[in-house]
Amino acid sequence: IRQVVDLSRQIGYDRALVRGLHTLSCMVYMPRGQFGLSLSMDEEALKIIQTRNQPDLCWGPLLTMSYVLWVTGQHVRAHARLNELKQVVLPGSLADGYWHYIEANLALEAGRVDKARDLFAQTLSIAEANGIAENLFIARLGLSRLNRFLQDLPTALAWAGDALAIVQRSGYLHFQAQALIERSRAAWNLGDLAAAETDLRSAMAVLSPQHLDFDLAVASLLLAAVLNQQNHPDARLAWQEASARLV
């Protein structure tokens, strides 16, 4: 991908350069947890798009930047990017589903539960209408998170299981790991520590060889906590490994 970016920059092929920069952002740096690099790639891509007046390419960088800003707790900046994204998304599209999903998560984290519930419901409606596996997945992941927040844990577990089933059919391993992590959280809250541990170890087995370091750090931290709660003899080692990954 870096070779594509370098060559496109050399020959002045802006459209390929934008796509290359965005691919580095969303497929390499963001999954690795290199959020500063992810943002810088998409910011450069967006500047080129705006300079060359290619608005059809805007939604990708704006979407990834919104997602990264949400994940890193920069909610004011996330809302600002989402406002820009809203101006260019097509209703019912993949990006529209993601817009509602990120807005819903921001609302949930702000304690605006009714708004979050409505936005997650709209995410699901968009997904069921367009049939895009990625939208179907995030809708279910969001509804699992919402119900876990509301302490409706059996429903949260069911939504996480549905999310996992969808991505198992699509073969997208990164999403499979995210679904396993979400399901583990619901199982943990239900008191099923064995199931939570199994799902977290399965997620880590998927994430580690692909160097998907951000979600790997999340799974490692949760596993250390689950093992500690069980007074497991490996709890100390699990925490040492998790802390190293976090750093």
Side-chain angles (χ1 to χ4, degrees), residues 33-201:
Q34 296 174 291
F35 297 121
L37 287 170
S38 174
L39 288 172
S40 68
M41 293 297 103
D42 271 329
E43 285 165 356
E44 182 181 353
L46 192 61
K47 286 178 183 177
I48 295 169
I49 291 166
Q50 292 169 338
T51 301
R52 302 295 189 268
N53 192 27
Q54 297 174 324
D56 59 305
L57 299 178
C58 280
W59 71 268
L62 287 171
L63 171 55
T64 303
M65 283 190 281
S66 300
Y67 187 91
V68 167
L69 292 167
W70 158 51
V71 168
T72 55
Q74 302 179 66
H75 290 186
V76 173
R77 292 182 64 195
H79 279 299
R81 288 302 189 186
L82 284 169
N83 288 338
E84 294 179 68
L85 178 61
K86 189 62 175 175
Q87 304 304 311
V88 297
V89 297
L90 296 174
S93 63
L94 171 69
D96 195 21
Y98 262 107
W99 184 92
H100 284 83
Y101 173 72
I102 299 171
E103 279 281 3
N105 279 287
L106 289 169
L108 187 62
E109 292 177 12
R112 302 170 67 185
V113 179
D114 287 340
K115 182 177 181 182
R117 183 186 288 109
D118 180 60
L119 286 164
F120 279 131
Q122 291 180 62
T123 307
L124 181 62
S125 178
I126 291 166
E128 290 180 337
N130 64 30
I132 298 173
E134 198 168 338
N135 272 176
L136 291 165
F137 167 72
I138 62 171
R140 283 157 174 77
L141 203 68
L143 286 166
S144 178
R145 189 167 187 239
L146 172 67
N147 282 281
R148 183 161 50 83
F149 181 87
L150 296 171
Q151 289 298 297
D152 185 352
L153 300 173
T155 302
L157 187 68
W159 279 119
D162 281 354
L164 180 60
I166 285 171
V167 289
Q168 283 175 331
R169 290 194 296 270
S170 71
Y172 191 0
L173 294 177
H174 189 187
F175 281 173
Q176 287 182 33
Q178 289 182 338
L180 286 164
I181 291 170
E182 180 59 37
R183 192 171 71 172
S184 79
R185 287 176 159 173
W188 185 11
N189 278 269
L190 279 165
D192 192 345
L193 300 182
E197 179 184 342
T198 297
D199 276 351
L200 289 168
R201 291 191 185 278

